Amino acid sequence: MRRADSRSGLVYQRTFDNLGILKALLPYFWSWRGRISAALLCLLIAKLSNLVVPLLFKKIVDYFLLVSNQTTELLALSVPVLLLCAYATLRFCSTLFVELRELLFIRVTQNAMRQLALDVFNHLHVLSLKFHLDRQTGAVARDIDRGTRSLASLVSYGLYSILPTLVEVGLVVTYFVLNYEIWFAVITLVALISYVIFTIVITQWRIRFRRTMNELDSKANAQAIDALLNYETVKYFGNEVFEADRYNISLMRYEKAAIQSQTSLSLLNMGQSLIIVLAVFMVLWRSSLGVVTGTMTLGDLVLVNAMMLQLYMPLNFLGVVYRELKQALTDVDRLFFLLGIKPEVSDCLDAQPLNLMGAGVRFSGVGFAYDVRRPVLHDISFEIPAGKTVAVVGESGAGKSTLVRLLFRFYDVSAGSIQIDGQDIRLVSQRSLRQAIGIVPQDTVLFNDTIANNIAYGRVDATQADIEEAARLAHIHHFIMSLPECYETRVGERGLKLSGGEKQRVAIARAVLKNPGVLVFDEASSALDTHSEQIIQMQLQALCSHRTTLIIAHRLSTVIHADIILVMKEGRIVERGTHQVLLNAGGLYAKMWESQQSEVMMMEPN
């Protein structure tokens, strides 16, 4: 099965059939096979206890009929007391072993849910940037949440509903065959088969309503998250009503699907009830004939009625169980679909850790295209000697930030190679590569955590002194100390409680704390005012003085200290040299410098 997934932008292709899903889940349960066996033993004991309860009740009824003409009161009461004690004990055992089964299995279920969720989480971080640009965060998060919860549903419905019911049906039918006329077993089996067929047919019809509900629920959830994440944009354009209307349309569609689902559920319940009532009526009719003809006792009548009701009570939920089981299988399959997505960028089989020496970087004839129909980079070649600084400037869309993505190996080059200390980055492990590079990105996004923890993300084992030293180098320590909670101040969702400049200085502190061999600044001062920019530039020059550094910049004033400046246009390097050499050349760089200087002069007060 293959269909477009409007929620995530991906094409969802069913990974396994139902049996395949169960096989894929087996490794998550296999290590707990001893505990599972004990839980199944408890299940069997519970069902045997449940079956024996009506038998004891039959004996109690028959005993009272037998001794009703006896005059010895003690004789009449002694045996029923023992039977009643046994009856109560079995009732308790039935509940006891059900709860023991739950206690034994809860660790298995929760561990499997945790392991599966963790595997998906880790795999999503392995997938390439292209996947994360295509997907919708809310929809993928919903799939993970629903899939892990559905794993518990699979266990619950499979082991706690379907398997116990099958065991109980087998025991009841066997007892009927061994102790009564064949019609009791025939009626029971025919009713059971009719019940199952009716339930499956109607539930298959109902599943499309349920699937529509889930898709609309995910769509509404994704819209709500998207609007909340872009809260400021919504406010800027005054589109609260527009967003509310979009959300309401999704909710109205969900409401319609939910009403259709409930209507079909009522039809299912009525049909199931009719089949059960007819079956119980026919069995009681045969039992009544047996009592009248003397082939059955009144206790047998009570026993048969109790067994039929006991048997059909769990069947009342078969429609729900079947529907939820099918949905759970689909939801879990979604997780395996995510796990089955192959990363576009992966380590080679013999990938070794990057052996960092001087951290010299070389781009050799690099070509790249996000889409083969539109190349982005053409024959890019340059070198950043160890400890030197190279800046890349150019107009928007020239391909500057793409160089950073390729250096981090978010994508693999289409042509040429990128080397660090003579090692092709495609031949080293991605983890070691990214540990060697620190970055201050243009769009700094912080975690909804404290300032201290956001800085410490550069080195998670850093001490408070290390964090504060990094903050001083990024010229943000005094600002942090002016806050009421200092370093324990929470920055809010995506760091929205901080200004753009404050966020970038936190990002600079984080990169400094990482202490990488290669530093990358991707428009690192783009959100700073002129005064702050000048201060930061002084700090950056100190940081870059003995470190291999790549600076991507739009403001030329931020790169005049670079050892070499590359000028890009339409994916090609069109000029290269120092600031003064490029100015003297009178080319594109000189024109950009003149234009930006004119803008600065116009902005300065008279």
Side-chain angles (χ1 to χ4, degrees), residues 63-353:
Y63 180 80
F64 274 117
L65 290 173
L66 180 65
V67 302
S68 59
N69 297 324
Q70 297 289 334
T71 55
T72 306
E73 189 172 309
L74 181 62
L75 179 63
L77 290 177
S78 58
V79 177
V81 168
L82 295 176
L83 289 174
L84 288 172
C85 288
Y87 176 86
T89 300
L90 284 171
R91 277 286 187 193
F92 177 73
C93 284
S94 177
T95 303
L96 173 65
F97 282 98
V98 166
E99 294 305 320
L100 285 175
R101 177 199 67 188
E102 293 277 1
L103 290 174
L104 285 168
F105 218 89
I106 186 64
R107 183 180 293 275
V108 179
T109 305
Q110 292 300 319
N111 182 267
M113 289 171 62
R114 177 177 63 82
Q115 289 293 340
L116 182 56
L118 183 62
D119 285 350
V120 175
F121 180 81
N122 287 333
H123 185 69
L124 289 176
H125 280 89
V126 170
L127 294 179
S128 60
L129 182 62
K130 184 178 185 301
F131 167 84
H132 291 281
L133 293 176
D134 289 339
R135 55 94 171 139
Q136 282 187 328
T137 305
V140 173
R142 199 74 161 187
D143 284 340
I144 295 173
D145 177 58
R146 188 184 291 136
T148 50
R149 284 189 288 108
S150 292
L151 179 58
S153 298
L154 275 178
V155 174
S156 176
Y157 293 127
L159 292 181
Y160 300 166
S161 296
I162 295 178
L163 184 59
T165 301
L166 292 176
V167 170
E168 196 160 6
V169 167
L171 292 173
V172 169
V173 170
T174 300
Y175 182 83
F176 282 169
V177 169
L178 295 177
N179 293 276
Y180 302 119
E181 61 180 58
I182 193 64
W183 283 109
F184 286 94
V186 171
I187 292 170
T188 302
L189 286 175
V190 169
L192 179 65
I193 293 171
S194 301
Y195 188 99
V196 171
I197 292 174
F198 174 79
T199 299
I200 291 175
V201 170
I202 299 298
T203 303
Q204 279 292 115
W205 170 60
R206 292 190 65 243
I207 280 178
R208 62 191 180 99
F209 298 127
R210 181 69 178 183
R211 183 178 295 120
T212 301
M213 284 175 61
N214 284 342
E215 290 178 353
L216 292 173
D217 177 46
S218 293
K219 183 177 180 181
N221 183 68
Q223 283 182 345
I225 290 177
D226 212 23
L228 291 173
L229 288 176
N230 293 284
Y231 168 82
E232 289 187 76
T233 304
V234 175
K235 286 292 184 183
Y236 288 149
F237 292 91
N239 280 338
E240 296 91 343
V241 174
F242 172 74
E243 292 296 338
D245 287 343
R246 284 207 308 166
Y247 187 49
N248 187 43
I249 289 171
S250 295
L251 292 178
M252 287 173 64
R253 290 173 179 168
Y254 175 83
E255 178 184 357
K256 180 180 178 182
I259 292 172
Q260 291 174 323
S261 179
Q262 183 58 48
T263 302
S264 60
L265 177 60
S266 297
L267 177 62
L268 176 65
N269 290 338
M270 287 188 292
Q272 289 174 331
S273 180
L274 179 61
I275 293 173
I276 291 173
V277 167
L278 289 175
V280 172
F281 168 77
M282 293 180 70
V283 166
L284 288 179
W285 175 61
R286 298 297 304 179
S287 301
S288 299
L289 289 178
V291 172
V292 170
T293 58
T295 57
M296 295 178 66
T297 66
L298 192 59
D300 289 319
L301 177 64
V302 172
L303 169 66
V304 169
N305 181 62
M307 280 189 167
M308 291 297 292
L309 292 177
Q310 193 166 284
L311 179 62
Y312 283 112
M313 278 178 62
L315 288 179
N316 275 326
F317 301 100
L318 182 60
V320 175
V321 168
Y322 178 74
R323 183 197 71 210
E324 293 298 333
L325 197 59
K326 289 279 289 183
Q327 186 59 47
L329 286 167
T330 300
D331 290 340
V332 172
D333 184 67
R334 269 198 166 279
L335 292 188
F336 287 112
F337 164 69
L338 291 174
L339 284 172
I341 297 174
K342 302 297 182 184
E344 292 188 346
V345 177
S346 57
D347 288 344
C348 61
L349 293 178
D350 57 347
Q352 300 295 317

Side-chain angles (χ1 to χ4, degrees), residues 408 420 445 543:
F408 271 92
I420 296 180
V445 178
L543 293 173

Side-chain angles (χ1 to χ4, degrees), residues 535-569:
I535 297 173
I536 290 294
Q537 284 307 311
M538 295 173 60
Q539 301 293 338
L540 292 183
Q541 289 181 41
L543 293 173
C544 300
S545 59
H546 300 293
R547 198 187 304 268
T548 305
T549 307
L550 174 64
I551 300 177
I552 306 296
H554 174 70
R555 295 182 189 174
L556 303 186
S557 60
T558 64
V559 299
I560 57 177
H561 67 282
D563 296 297
I564 189 167
I565 299 172
L566 308 176
V567 184
M568 290 189 66
K569 182 178 181 180

Side-chain angles (χ1 to χ4, degrees), residues 326-480:
K326 289 279 289 183
Q327 186 59 47
L329 286 167
T330 300
D331 290 340
V332 172
D333 184 67
R334 269 198 166 279
L335 292 188
F336 287 112
F337 164 69
L338 291 174
L339 284 172
I341 297 174
K342 302 297 182 184
E344 292 188 346
V345 177
S346 57
D347 288 344
C348 61
L349 293 178
D350 57 347
Q352 300 295 317
L354 177 65
N355 182 20
L356 203 63
M357 293 171 282
V361 178
R362 180 189 294 272
F363 280 65
S364 302
V366 170
F368 177 72
Y370 294 104
D371 186 323
V372 292
R373 295 169 296 183
R374 191 174 69 88
V376 176
L377 299 179
H378 306 270
D379 193 26
I380 300 295
S381 296
F382 66 91
E383 183 177 359
I384 312 175
K388 300 297 183 179
T389 297
V390 169
V392 181
V393 300
E395 299 173 348
S396 296
K400 303 187 300 295
S401 293
T402 300
L403 296 177
V404 178
R405 291 178 171 180
L406 293 176
L407 180 61
F408 271 92
R409 210 182 163 214
F410 290 159
Y411 299 93
D412 274 333
V413 297
S414 305
S417 66
I418 301 173
Q419 299 176 349
I420 296 180
D421 287 336
Q423 301 159 80
D424 192 321
I425 63 173
R426 290 171 294 188
L427 302 180
V428 302
S429 67
Q430 295 176 70
R431 181 178 180 82
S432 65
L433 170 67
R434 290 163 191 162
Q435 283 177 336
I437 308 173
I439 185 170
V440 181
Q442 179 179 2
D443 181 20
T444 301
V445 178
L446 303 180
F447 292 94
N448 189 3
D449 204 337
T450 65
I451 292 177
N453 286 341
N454 271 286
I455 294 175
Y457 204 75
R459 195 173 80 238
V460 293
D461 60 347
T463 65
Q464 183 64 26
D466 294 332
I467 293 170
E468 292 183 13
E469 179 61 24
R472 287 188 180 93
L473 290 173
H475 200 68
I476 196 175
H477 174 73
H478 292 300
F479 163 74
I480 296 172

